[in-house]
């Protein structure tokens, strides 16, 4: 039973990171119709920048999160204006290939700057002790990671529901032409989506750098795990992405704990296939994803 | 083409407008029309005549469909709209009720209405106008928290009209306002526009297939066919015109069994909505 609880809590922690990443992924897709395969690289960039900020410069983690989020946000917005905007109207396939190209460039840049050696996780930024919940030990790192991720998602949801630009984002996702007819600039909405998606990935990356077994160039695989999370929830559902992330996180941990660590990905993607077979548009997705 | 006699300065002047899609398909071939301040003008035409293209060109939406203005000008009180973004055009007081309503289905009625005020910054004025829309259409007030997708067709069209009014337009463009709606609701909506026109001096451009209805409310009409204005004149004159009666009002008296007559009949039938 203890084992189950430990796995569940760990799963929720990792799942909260997946949720954030899936949320950003879905957000960009929802408003711009672009599947951003560089999303995991945004996260990895966040983790590597955390190495510089937290280990090399020994800065405070919260200040670092803000600065890194701002930097990667600028990168996301820059990618929209510099690369995606000129591609508007091109087939989805070429746009997706371009995002894969961006992923490769970020990866290469990190390899050049940080070298190929793997680093240990960051231990000096967050307390390394833990506390007990009903006899189950919970490390502070996990707790903080979960809380920050939950807060980020909450702030995003409030922004999405309450603000003018949030309303514009939802409107553009539903009907681009009608939103434009009402005087909304699709470009600023697209740029905002890229910016927010990048911020989510960056924050997740910094947090994850305190948790991951090692920091190396395989970290972007988390982006790939956000993919089943997003697909399970439904590619166009923000709420679904959040829930999907948690589900994937928990299932992965359970599979790793009870079956074997090498089954983690099998379970996540296996679930994705099953969900897609039963409900091709995900649990919360709308049947008609294509814009009319 | 006769130049319409204007009582006051024109709000909108479209001159020799030529629009192409994807650099290949010509949708408008030199369309000219004028809407005077405080006037209701109708543009009539069959499917594919170029009516919606005209609306897209005036409201800056051609880019969505890979269309472009190749020649001519669209002047709003002398200012060229052709190079402006949608946001600039809306903030200058031109807003549309798009064809097929184009609501945001999973947004609430109130959020849909608020989308009309995106170019405005005056919070107090916006909530005041919102209350005014609920006065104009009480049913929308009752449903303000409901998602727009669950409304009936007539209610959805009310939301679309209300949304456009939230932009405080000086020129309202209604694209196929009557399409697919019960006659009674169409009448209510047209009465509402007539009232806004009378009381607030709102200029209205009616893009319609329902010629009978449009010519009843409009002062002036243009008839568009395959991208050209083929006929224009004051509304009463158009109503009395024989060709218009035959093709657009369904009042022709030709009885024959020749093939051309059947073609005429078919063409006429489309207008008997």
């Amino acid at each position: 039973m203890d084992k189950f609880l430990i796995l569940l809590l760990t799963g929720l922690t990792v799942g909260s990171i997946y949720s954030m990443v899936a949320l950003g992924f879905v957000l960009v897709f929802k408003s711009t119709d672009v599947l951003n395969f560089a999303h995991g690289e945004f996260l990895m960039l966040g983790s590597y920048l955390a190495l510089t900020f937290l280990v090399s410069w020994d800065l405070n983690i919260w200040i670092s999160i803000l600065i890194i989020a701002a930097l990667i946000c600028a990168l996301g917005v820059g990618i929209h204006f510099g690369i995606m905007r000129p591609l508007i109207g091109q087939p989805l396939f070429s746009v997706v290939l371009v995002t894969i190209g961006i992923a490769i460039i970020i990866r290469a840049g990190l390899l050049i700057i940080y070298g190929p050696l793997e680093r240990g996780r960051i231990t000096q930024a967050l307390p390394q002790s833990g506390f007990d919940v009903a006899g189950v030990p919970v490390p502070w790192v996990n707790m903080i990671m979960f809380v920050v991720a939950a807060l980020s998602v909450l702030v995003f949801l409030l922004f999405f529901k309450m603000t003018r630009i949030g309303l514009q984002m939802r409107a553009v996702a539903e009907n681009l032409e009608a939103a434009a007819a009402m005087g909304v600039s699709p470009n600023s909405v697209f740029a905002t989506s890229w910016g927010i998606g990048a911020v989510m990935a960056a924050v997740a990356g910094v947090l994850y750098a305190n948790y991951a077994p090692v920091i190396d160039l395989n970290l972007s695989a988390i982006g790939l795990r956000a993919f089943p999370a997003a697909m399970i929830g439904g590619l166009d559902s923000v709420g679904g992405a959040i829930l999907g992330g948690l589900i994937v996180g928990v299932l992965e941990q359970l599979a790793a704990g009870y079956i074997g660590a090498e089954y983690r990905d099998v379970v996540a993607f296996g679930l994705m296939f099953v969900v897609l077979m039963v409900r091709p548009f995900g649990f919360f997705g709308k049947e008609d994803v294509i814009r009319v | 083409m006769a130049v319409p006699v204007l009582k006051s300065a024109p709000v909108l002047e479209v001159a020799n407008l030529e629009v192409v899609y994807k650099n290949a398909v010509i949708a408008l071939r030199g369309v000219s029309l004028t809407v005077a301040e405080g006037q209701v003008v109708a543009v009539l035409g069959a499917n594919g005549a170029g009516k919606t293209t005209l609306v897209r060109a005036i409201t800056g939406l051609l880019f969505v469909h890979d269309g472009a203005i190749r020649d001519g000008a669209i002047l709003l009180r002398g200012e060229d709209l052709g190079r402006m973004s949608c946001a600039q055009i809306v903030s200058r007081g031109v807003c549309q009720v798009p064809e097929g309503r184009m609501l945001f289905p999973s947004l609430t009625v109130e959020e849909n209405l608020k989308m009309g005020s995106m170019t405005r910054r005056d919070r107090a004025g916006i909530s005041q106008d919102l209350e005014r829309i609920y006065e104009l259409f009480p049913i929308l007030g009752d449903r303000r928290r409901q998602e727009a997708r669950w409304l009936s067709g007539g209610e959805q069209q009310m939301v679309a009209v209300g949304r456009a009014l939230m932009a405080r337009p000086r020129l309202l463009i209604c694209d196929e306002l009557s399409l697919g709606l019960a006659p009674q609701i169409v009448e209510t909506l047209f009465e509402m526009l007539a009232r806004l026109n009378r009381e607030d001096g709102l200029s209205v451009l009616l893009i319609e297939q329902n010629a009978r209805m449009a010519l009843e409310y409009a002062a002036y009409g243009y008839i568009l066919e395959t991208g050209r204005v083929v006929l224009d004149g004051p509304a009463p004159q158009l109503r009395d015109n024989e060709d218009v009666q035959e093709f657009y009002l369904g009042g022709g008296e030709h009885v024959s069994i020749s093939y051309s007559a059947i073609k005429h009949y078919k063409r006429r039938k489309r207008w008997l909505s």
Side-chain angles (χ1 to χ4, degrees):
Chain A
M1 194 59 204
D2 270 6
K3 185 180 179 188
F4 176 76
L5 272 182
I6 294 174
L7 291 173
L8 182 69
L9 289 178
T10 317
L12 285 176
T13 315
V14 185
S16 66
I17 297 291
Y18 293 169
S19 292
M20 280 184 90
V21 179
L23 178 61
F25 188 78
V26 165
L27 192 65
V28 169
F29 174 72
K30 219 170 131 73
S31 60
T32 66
D33 275 354
V34 174
L35 287 171
N36 176 21
F37 282 100
H39 205 69
E41 270 68 17
F42 287 179
L43 175 136
M44 184 162 71
L45 189 56
S47 298
Y48 270 92
L49 285 176
L51 275 179
T52 303
F53 279 67
L54 299 176
V55 180
S56 306
W57 298 344
D58 206 18
L59 283 171
N60 176 288
I61 181 167
W62 309 116
I63 296 173
S64 308
I65 281 191
L66 289 181
I67 300 174
I68 293 171
L71 286 175
I72 297 183
C73 178
L75 176 71
V77 173
I79 285 176
H80 167 69
F81 281 113
I83 302 173
M84 291 303 158
R85 190 179 163 185
L87 284 175
I88 286 177
Q90 300 297 320
L92 183 66
F93 182 65
S94 34
V95 179
V96 166
L97 280 186
V98 167
T99 69
I100 294 177
I102 296 171
I104 293 171
I105 291 171
I106 294 179
R107 189 174 273 272
L110 289 175
L111 182 65
I112 292 165
I113 296 168
Y114 290 92
L117 287 179
E118 62 177 42
R119 322 279 183 99
R121 72 186 178 93
I122 299 171
T123 51
Q124 49 267 72
L126 293 173
Q128 294 301 304
S129 57
F131 59 95
D132 278 13
V133 178
V136 180
V138 179
W140 275 111
V141 174
N142 292 21
M143 187 67 199
I144 292 170
M145 207 160 94
F146 183 77
V147 170
V148 174
L151 277 179
S152 312
V153 170
L154 194 71
V155 167
F156 165 76
L157 286 179
L158 284 176
F159 172 85
F160 205 46
K161 283 281 174 208
M162 307 301 238
T163 66
R164 235 172 126 88
I165 182 91
L167 177 60
Q168 292 182 1
M169 287 169 79
R170 284 182 289 147
V172 165
E174 297 242 305
N175 190 331
L176 174 76
E177 186 175 6
M182 293 303 125
V184 172
S185 150
N187 244 315
S188 58
V189 169
F190 290 174
T192 313
S193 302
W194 274 96
I196 294 177
V199 164
M200 287 285 168
V203 174
V206 177
L207 292 172
Y208 197 67
N210 293 278
Y211 173 89
V214 291
I215 298 172
D216 61 11
L217 288 170
N218 293 323
L219 218 55
S220 59
I222 296 224
L224 284 183
R225 257 180 238 131
F227 197 64
M231 293 300 267
I232 288 167
L235 255 183
D236 61 340
S237 163
V238 167
I242 298 168
L243 203 63
L246 292 177
I247 292 173
V248 169
V250 170
L251 279 183
E252 252 187 33
Q253 290 301 319
L254 292 180
Y258 286 112
I259 312 173
E262 59 278 18
Y263 286 93
R264 283 171 45 165
D265 289 351
V266 179
V267 168
F269 281 88
L271 179 68
M272 179 177 100
F273 290 136
V274 172
V275 168
L276 287 184
M277 272 190 279
V278 182
R279 284 181 65 92
F281 30 88
F283 271 122
F284 303 95
K286 309 238 167 62
E287 236 167 295
D288 183 17
V289 178
I290 295 152
R291 246 177 235 142
V292 185
Chain B
M1 195 190 311
V3 178
V5 184
L6 299 172
K7 274 181 287 183
S8 54
V11 186
L12 182 76
E13 254 188 299
V14 176
N16 293 316
L17 188 66
E18 232 181 83
V19 172
V20 287
Y21 285 114
K22 299 180 199 293
N23 274 323
V25 187
I26 305 175
L28 294 182
R29 309 158 185 268
V31 168
S32 299
L33 62 84
T34 308
V35 181
E37 189 85 53
Q39 200 183 27
V40 180
V41 171
V43 174
L44 312 173
N47 289 334
K51 295 183 309 259
T52 297
T53 300
L54 179 66
V55 177
R56 284 176 189 154
I58 297 171
T59 53
L61 280 177
L62 284 173
F63 79 95
V64 180
H65 301 273
D66 206 1
I69 295 173
R70 202 163 65 174
D71 199 10
I74 307 169
L75 301 176
L76 182 77
R77 292 190 194 85
E79 239 186 321
D80 192 359
L81 294 184
R83 278 179 228 304
M84 285 187 202
S85 70
C86 311
Q88 288 170 312
I89 293 170
V90 175
S91 61
R92 275 167 180 71
V94 180
C95 202
Q96 65 162 320
V97 181
E99 185 183 4
R101 305 188 275 272
M102 283 204 214
L103 296 186
F104 307 107
S106 71
L107 268 52
T108 64
V109 168
E110 186 149 314
E111 285 172 334
N112 266 284
L113 292 174
K114 275 188 182 159
M115 279 305 294
S117 63
M118 282 303 151
T119 51
R120 294 170 59 184
R121 290 276 158 210
D122 53 324
R123 273 166 177 258
I126 291 172
S127 51
Q128 205 181 325
D129 284 3
L130 205 54
E131 289 312 313
R132 198 172 131 246
I133 304 291
Y134 291 144
E135 267 166 43
L136 288 174
F137 306 107
I139 185 89
L140 298 187
D142 302 339
R143 315 218 151 168
R144 60 172 83 181
R145 308 246 171 272
Q146 268 181 37
E147 285 185 16
R149 75 175 83 219
W150 307 119
L151 302 183
S152 71
E155 290 162 356
Q156 288 191 3
Q157 191 63 282
M158 290 176 194
V159 175
V161 172
R163 182 177 67 178
L165 290 176
M166 284 299 289
R168 280 210 183 155
R170 297 306 303 147
L171 170 66
L172 184 69
I173 303 175
C174 297
D175 196 355
E176 305 285 13
L177 192 67
S178 65
L179 202 69
L181 296 181
Q184 204 186 346
I185 290 163
V186 174
E187 181 126 7
T188 314
L189 287 169
F190 272 97
E191 281 301 331
M192 172 85 48
L193 293 181
R195 204 180 113 195
L196 291 167
N197 170 255
R198 238 182 2 253
E199 293 174 3
D200 304 347
L202 177 70
S203 312
V204 182
L205 186 59
L206 293 172
I207 312 288
E208 272 293 338
Q209 286 206 18
N210 186 338
R212 193 185 301 277
M213 206 72 185
L215 289 178
E216 193 178 314
Y217 286 91
Y220 202 89
Y222 294 85
I223 291 177
L224 215 56
E225 243 171 53
T226 54
R228 282 195 183 88
V229 173
V230 290
L231 190 67
D232 71 303
Q237 207 173 308
L238 286 182
R239 273 200 302 266
D240 295 339
N241 183 299
E242 256 181 42
D243 289 338
V244 176
Q245 285 197 346
E246 186 185 341
F247 293 134
Y248 297 86
L249 298 172
E253 288 166 14
H254 296 269
V255 181
S256 93
I257 46 167
S258 73
Y259 175 66
S260 71
I262 293 169
K263 242 169 90 180
H264 272 169
Y265 170 73
K266 277 190 172 162
R267 199 160 160 203
R268 227 169 57 198
K269 220 175 109 191
R270 286 208 297 263
W271 293 92
L272 292 172
S273 53

